[in-house]
Amino acid sequence: MIKMQKQGPNRARISGGVAEALHHDSAVKHVTGGALYVDDIATPPGTLEVYIAMSARAHARVIRLNVDAVRAAPGVICVLTAADIPGGNDISPTPTEDDPLLADGLVQYVGQALFAVVAVTVQQARAAAKLARVDYEELPAIITVNQALAARSYLEAPYVMQRGDVEAAIAAAPRRLSGRMEIGGQEHFYLEGQAALAVPGEDDDMGIYCSSQHPSEIQHTVAHVLGVARHAVTVEVRRMGGGFGGKESQGNLPAAVAALAARIARRPVKCVYDRDDDFLLTGKRHDFRVDYNVGFDDHGMILGLDVMHAVRCGMSFDLSQPIADRAMLHADNCYYLPAARITSYRLKTHTQSNTAFRGFGGPQGMVAMERIIDEVAATLALDPLEVRRRNFYAHRDRPDEARAVTPFHMRVEDCIIDDIVAELSETAEYQRRRADIRAWNSSSAIIKRGIALTPVRFGISFTKTFLNQAGALIHIYSDGSIHLNHGGTEMGQGLNTKIAQVVAEAFQVDYARVKITATTTGKVPNTSATAASSGADLNGMAARNAAETIKGRLASFVAEREGVSANDVQFWPGCVAVGGRVFTFDEVIKDAHMARVSLSATGFYATPKVQWDREAARGRPFYYFAYGAAVSEVAIDTLTGENRILRTDILHDVGRSLNPAIDKGQIEGGFVQGAGWLTMEELVWDEKGRLLTHAPSTYKIPACSDRPGILNLALYDRGVNSEDTIYRSKAVGEPPLMLGISVFAALADAVASVADYQLLPQLDVPATPERILMAVMRIQTG
Amino acid sequence: MMVETPTTAKGSHADAVATASVVALAFSINGRHCAVETVATAMLLDVIRDQLGLTGTKKGCDLGACGACTVLADGRRVKSCLALAASYDGADITTIEGIGTPDRLHPLQAAFIRHDALQCGYCTPGQILSGIALLAEKPKDIAAIREGMSGNLCRCGAYPNIVAAIAEVAGL
């Protein structure tokens, strides 16, 4: 026992608590090559590898599949077809049952898994797969958005959100305009491809080590495919080499194939996608066509908006329904729309089944709204920033009932976008630079500059309300060391670091005392995906609840022993204070163990307040909103369309940051990824449905030299979450991606300078050099 | 009819593996002599990862375009996924495991941590090896670092911090 002065502990602060800018918990392992990804795990002797053979047709019946020669090839152990699946031949992430593990008589995209070859090495498996004989009977294939719209090829009935009389509002508006925007998809290009290792155990047991944002779903899928109870399957994820949404549902296929192979071969089996195969097999960000008709007044106030989203979903649902829904839920971005209707068509095409990608439909909805604002401003010859500000939702502190309701009838109660935009436009000198750029452009014949400030408002919560839950498990061992586990997964976003900070803060112990362990379905069951930016919000709360349970037991134990009330027990940095006495944390843990106090607890959290009536398209799908804004300045070469981002200034709201270093990394990275989607990342399919851009040689993601020459980034220092989130922080994973829209809008501004800002050129996403050049030529030729 | 594999880039290589002859190679890996027998068509990356068990070097694209597999061969940057192992017989190879240890970090490794120049970490070993080779080339300014590092992709977008870490070690 340590006697201490009554007034307080001997140090003010633990090391590594909440709000400290700690480095990523794996940083040392990352820089020394010691961090293990799935393909780095030392495999048991006899581990086999599996290669997934793919369909060469976009839409066809498989008349005959003869794999005799494959089976006879060197190194081949077995060949798996649909007939070999003991359980269900379905890996859909939602109960739609439209994603077969292995095609059974029908293929619906070029790249669909047709059969799998298990061999000693994947090179042998790949070589053997080429010996299969496949006879196809080709069927008509629908590849593009426009083909699917024309054929009314819908996955489900069109879905509508509406508030007010849209026709009447637009008809009565003093001004109207209409337009169309095509928005391309985006390949995730996580640097670590999809990977899974399946290790069979006794009875029906199957252990899976994989790179997935959703271990519980991998568990459910593997159990379903093998025809065993979920308790037989244990899934472990230590880390991913990037996820970005691409490992929310797309990890099901490699894990299920590896597990099926392991069950049949009775040996461990690894499935690691080659980069080109990853491009061909997996879904991407949804490409959209957005048609719009907007009514507004002479001041740029929007009076009515009618928007149509045509969403290319691919061959199956996957997560398309909630993604297309979220696009609609962000079709307003930061702007109050007195009357609005959003109609969404979920198109079935014979292409990869598009899936979650950071923003989950939100970016597509939002970029179209920003485009509409820019067109309204151009029509009225107003500064687009002025039009933006006039249309913002009512400010949190200046409630205006008339300007606070979204098209889905949710009241926006936490809007601070005015403050962020005011501060950013000031610090980035938006007005001065805009004037300077216009003057500069008038004397620059070839190179033109553009500038734009765009805001972001992003809804936080899964729109499927039941997913807003999380669990955690904490053990304190008798030496005082803490073992932390939670349902979230680490994909580089620093989730584990943040949750360990939360636990350290709760116990008032140093961060170094908390050991972060791999996510496993054996410790925390029935988890939701680490997605929707929810990782820290949900798992942080669950972990804190687990810690509070143990603290409650410790307090009761110490209070009873010392003859005081449990309310008089306080957790100070590294110690526990009761009355005038202070005990070290280690001492309390040791004594509690000897006194038979449980030192292990689970924690659970379910987000309050959210409810969503999808049928009626009404409710509160989001607990709160995250806000941010960016100003980008670009330069284009009007002879070639080549372009550069000269400078970007960002001000982003993360509430009270759990970890400013990690939050800034998320914001920078999100911006870069968003700008990549909008300017350079272009997916091209041919008329046969073959993806032509399936490697970094043909699909370009931002490189070091593409980032802005100057990047000024600040966290909004007055940020605090209005809702009672974990230490009043805000989610940060997805919202910053949409800061990239400022680059797209700035490019359009630069092109508009060619015709002296008399009109805003048509510009689709991505604004590649080719598209920019074509836009320039269109206005030059009138 | 044969399966028309949608990808063709690696088909011929894979076919060759099955029939290729075995060659005996000797390298210096991270200062240690090392003899391996491998198929003549083996890539340096596969020898490093699968035969030498040094998994710090990553496979990102297998096309020499992402930089995750970067190692140093006689001090120069090499994308080991495209480097025929047999061409490096006798070479002095350095991988991330030879740069520093958690207790004795190379200055660039320490700078990467200090500047939070990583997120998911998958590209980090390649970034560091590329950065070390670039430092030896004495970049004269930030623009030279940005250009010199543009062969190493980071999908998490940690570029500002990667540049800052290298610039600090370069004294810029």
Side-chain angles (χ1 to χ4, degrees):
Chain A
M1 189 179 72
I2 307 165
K3 284 278 185 192
M4 291 176 68
Q5 294 167 350
K6 267 192 177 175
Q7 59 265 36
N10 62 348
R11 59 193 179 117
R13 194 79 182 97
I14 55 166
S15 155
V18 160
E20 267 190 55
L22 294 189
H23 304 305
H24 192 283
D25 67 275
S26 292
V28 172
K29 288 190 277 274
H30 285 151
V31 302
T32 54
L36 297 181
Y37 302 80
V38 171
D39 200 22
D40 302 333
I41 296 171
T43 52
T47 297
L48 304 170
E49 296 185 292
V50 61
Y51 170 74
I52 298 172
M54 293 174 266
S55 165
R57 296 287 184 274
H59 192 201
R61 279 197 193 86
V62 180
I63 304 299
R64 194 168 64 109
L65 171 62
N66 184 333
V67 293
D68 292 348
V70 185
R71 284 202 175 91
V76 172
I77 306 296
C78 59
V79 179
L80 311 173
T81 65
D84 298 306
I85 299 169
N89 185 11
D90 180 57
I91 56 168
S92 311
T94 49
T96 48
E97 297 186 19
D98 58 352
D99 269 319
L101 173 67
L102 296 170
D104 193 2
L106 179 73
V107 288
Q108 297 195 83
Y109 72 97
V110 176
Q112 183 173 351
L114 189 52
F115 62 96
V117 186
V118 186
V120 176
T121 69
V122 72
Q123 287 85 358
Q124 290 171 325
R126 180 188 285 273
K130 297 167 84 73
L131 304 174
R133 297 184 65 89
V134 189
D135 292 341
Y136 298 100
E137 178 194 328
E138 273 197 70
L139 300 168
I142 293 170
I143 307 301
T144 66
V145 165
N146 289 336
Q147 287 169 356
L149 271 178
R152 302 172 74 86
S153 174
Y154 305 148
L155 277 175
E156 62 178 358
Y159 181 50
V160 181
M161 285 179 193
Q162 180 158 2
R163 181 171 169 270
D165 186 342
V166 178
E167 272 91 0
I170 294 175
R175 300 211 179 214
R176 287 180 287 280
L177 67 80
S178 59
R180 172 176 295 177
M181 184 178 197
E182 298 200 344
I183 303 170
Q186 187 178 24
E187 162 66 29
H188 302 85
F189 211 122
Y190 24 63
L191 259 280
E192 178 209 23
Q194 303 280 348
L197 168 65
V199 182
E202 59 182 30
D203 301 325
D204 288 333
D205 290 356
M206 189 64 69
I208 307 283
Y209 301 86
C210 61
S211 183
S212 165
Q213 292 170 240
H214 200 347
S216 284
E217 188 172 282
I218 299 282
Q219 175 195 27
H220 302 168
T221 302
V222 167
H224 179 66
V225 165
L226 297 183
V228 300
R230 291 174 179 176
H231 66 206
V233 180
T234 305
V235 178
E236 181 173 312
V237 176
R238 174 59 186 92
R239 65 171 59 79
M240 283 161 268
F244 316 116
K247 292 173 179 171
E248 183 169 350
S249 67
Q250 303 294 299
N252 290 355
L253 177 63
V257 164
L260 176 63
R263 164 58 39 81
I264 288 172
R266 300 183 165 280
R267 283 158 72 172
V269 176
K270 186 155 79 172
C271 182
V272 177
Y273 290 2
D274 166 81
R275 179 61 53 187
D276 295 80
D277 297 344
D278 202 313
F279 265 82
L280 291 165
L281 283 159
T282 64
K284 296 149 206 338
R285 185 186 294 284
H286 291 64
D287 27 11
F288 277 51
R289 191 184 106 192
V290 180
D291 293 359
Y292 46 88
N293 189 10
V294 58
F296 52 101
D297 69 13
D298 292 337
H299 305 289
M301 299 295 288
I302 292 175
L303 303 173
L305 177 64
D306 195 5
V307 176
M308 187 278 288
H309 288 173
V311 186
R312 190 168 78 150
C313 300
M315 56 77 73
S316 67
F317 269 97
D318 189 81
L319 301 168
S320 292
Q321 188 193 72
I323 289 165
D325 287 2
R326 188 175 271 272
M328 301 166 78
L329 294 166
H330 289 81
D332 54 346
N333 194 11
C334 296
Y335 311 111
Y336 172 69
L337 305 172
R341 176 170 58 205
I342 305 127
T343 307
S344 173
Y345 295 90
R346 290 86 200 271
L347 304 171
K348 173 167 175 158
T349 54
H350 297 105
T351 51
Q352 288 83 353
S353 189
N354 283 334
T355 193
F357 195 139
R358 201 173 191 174
F360 207 73
Q364 295 95 316
M366 212 178 278
V367 72
M369 185 68 225
E370 292 304 323
R371 173 74 196 179
I372 291 164
I373 294 275
D374 280 342
E375 289 190 12
V376 167
T379 303
L380 299 171
L382 291 171
D383 179 346
L385 180 58
E386 195 46 47
V387 175
R388 290 189 161 90
R389 295 170 92 157
R390 289 175 186 170
N391 284 285
F392 284 155
Y393 279 110
H395 188 278
R396 178 175 73 188
D397 303 332
R398 297 185 289 280
D400 176 356
E401 293 298 310
R403 298 188 62 80
V405 182
T406 67
F408 45 97
H409 305 267
M410 176 177 169
R411 186 163 301 283
V412 180
E413 297 167 340
D414 62 1
C415 185
I416 51 166
I417 193 62
D418 315 58
D419 300 346
I420 289 176
V421 165
E423 186 175 328
L424 179 66
S425 60
E426 198 69 27
T427 57
E429 299 184 278
Y430 170 82
Q431 299 296 353
R432 180 190 65 72
R433 286 167 60 208
R434 183 165 183 269
D436 289 354
I437 286 166
R438 293 193 163 211
W440 189 88
N441 280 344
S442 62
S443 61
S444 174
I446 307 299
I447 306 295
K448 299 287 186 184
R449 291 186 177 186
I451 189 168
L453 187 158
T454 59
V456 172
R457 161 182 159 276
F458 194 77
I460 304 300
S461 290
F462 287 99
T463 56
K464 298 256 186 227
T465 303
F466 84 93
L467 295 172
N468 295 293
Q469 57 172 310
L473 175 67
I474 294 177
H475 305 319
I476 304 182
Y477 293 103
S478 53
D479 65 351
S481 63
I482 298 173
H483 175 111
L484 164 64
N485 201 269
H486 59 86
T489 54
E490 176 62 46
M491 59 193 103
Q493 85 282 42
L495 177 63
N496 281 343
T497 312
K498 285 184 172 178
I499 307 295
Q501 287 177 271
V502 165
V503 170
E505 188 76 36
F507 284 115
Q508 285 295 299
V509 298
D510 291 343
Y511 169 86
R513 188 188 284 264
V514 184
K515 167 82 175 174
I516 299 154
T517 56
T519 312
T520 166
T521 55
K523 285 183 185 166
V524 178
N526 307 320
T527 54
S528 296
T530 306
S533 306
S534 70
D537 279 13
L538 296 177
N539 296 288
M541 278 294 200
R544 186 166 73 176
N545 289 342
E548 290 300 332
T549 298
I550 297 177
K551 281 171 68 183
R553 292 182 200 144
L554 294 173
S556 298
F557 156 67
V558 175
E560 191 179 331
R561 189 179 71 183
E562 302 295 317
V564 298
S565 155
N567 293 333
D568 295 331
V569 177
Q570 289 181 305
F571 288 78
W572 286 352
C575 57
V576 178
V578 47
R581 310 179 74 188
V582 176
F583 307 93
T584 66
F585 187 79
D586 285 347
E587 218 173 2
V588 171
I589 293 302
K590 193 172 149 218
D591 292 351
H593 177 59
M594 296 305 289
R596 300 187 295 174
V597 174
S598 167
L599 296 173
S600 172
T602 58
F604 185 77
Y605 177 71
T607 309
K609 297 189 179 179
V610 286
Q611 61 83 25
W612 175 238
D613 179 350
R614 188 174 182 275
E615 192 94 356
R618 294 179 82 100
R620 179 177 178 164
F622 304 122
Y623 189 27
Y624 65 89
F625 294 95
Y627 298 87
V631 189
S632 289
E633 179 177 345
V634 301
I636 62 167
D637 181 332
T638 55
L639 295 179
T640 64
E642 287 172 284
N643 56 85
R644 280 201 186 143
I645 310 172
L646 302 176
R647 172 177 165 182
T648 295
D649 295 66
I650 293 170
L651 184 60
H652 195 81
D653 164 39
V654 294
R656 284 193 187 130
S657 177
L658 290 173
N659 182 323
I662 282 172
D663 285 348
K664 283 180 181 171
Q666 287 294 296
I667 295 165
E668 282 167 359
F671 166 78
V672 167
Q673 206 167 56
W677 164 54
L678 293 162
T679 63
M680 64 195 298
E681 299 185 31
E682 188 173 30
L683 291 159
V684 179
W685 284 263
D686 70 8
E687 71 286 355
K688 294 279 195 184
R690 291 175 293 209
L691 177 63
L692 302 179
T693 51
H694 52 73
S697 48
T698 45
Y699 183 81
K700 294 298 180 188
I701 67 171
C704 198
S705 45
D706 296 312
R707 75 157 183 104
I710 301 168
L711 178 58
N712 299 315
L713 163 65
L715 301 181
Y716 179 59
D717 62 6
R718 284 173 284 160
V720 53
N721 200 327
S722 302
E723 299 296 341
D724 187 17
T725 52
I726 186 77
Y727 294 100
R728 299 275 175 181
S729 61
K730 284 193 179 184
V732 70
E734 293 165 291
L737 184 126
M738 286 148 274
L739 299 170
I741 294 171
S742 60
V743 176
F744 180 78
L747 287 167
D749 184 53
V751 176
S753 74
V754 174
D756 205 21
Y757 304 99
Q758 294 304 304
L759 58 97
L760 193 69
Q762 171 77 35
L763 192 61
D764 293 323
V765 169
T768 55
E770 291 87 340
R771 282 218 173 100
I772 289 170
L773 182 59
M774 286 190 284
V776 167
M777 292 170 75
R778 267 197 309 272
I779 15 183
Q780 282 171 338
T781 56
Chain B
M1 195 185 71
M2 307 293 282
V3 175
E4 296 154 49
T5 311
T7 52
T8 53
K10 292 124 198 157
S12 55
H13 166 58
D15 289 344
V17 167
T19 52
S21 56
V22 170
V23 292
L25 306 173
F27 311 104
S28 160
I29 293 269
N30 301 328
R32 291 173 59 182
H33 178 77
C34 157
V36 293
E37 284 195 351
T38 186
V39 288
T41 52
M43 294 296 151
L44 185 58
L45 173 64
D46 296 329
V47 170
I48 289 170
R49 285 182 55 85
D50 300 342
Q51 292 189 256
L52 304 177
L54 297 171
T55 57
T57 308
K58 306 302 182 194
K59 183 178 283 192
C61 69
D62 223 4
L63 277 174
C66 80
C69 66
T70 305
V71 299
L72 304 183
D74 299 322
R76 293 171 58 90
R77 291 181 269 189
V78 170
K79 289 183 175 170
S80 63
C81 74
L82 278 193
L84 211 52
S87 318
Y88 290 85
D89 191 24
D92 186 355
I93 308 287
T94 306
T95 69
I96 191 69
E97 290 87 351
I99 297 297
T101 62
D103 301 331
R104 292 173 65 89
L105 294 172
H106 182 281
L108 189 60
Q109 290 174 315
F112 262 62
I113 295 174
R114 216 162 32 245
H115 288 272
D116 298 298
L118 52 89
Q119 288 181 29
C120 83
Y122 199 80
C123 73
T124 310
Q127 300 278 3
I128 288 178
L129 284 156
S130 196
I132 286 172
L134 178 66
L135 286 167
E137 296 163 18
K138 305 219 180 299
K140 64 180 194 312
D141 54 20
I142 299 291
I145 294 175
R146 291 180 58 186
E147 193 57 36
M149 290 301 291
S150 60
N152 289 77
L153 298 177
C154 170
R155 187 49 152 166
C156 302
Y159 295 128
N161 301 347
I162 291 169
V163 172
I166 296 169
E168 183 192 280
V169 176
L172 293 171

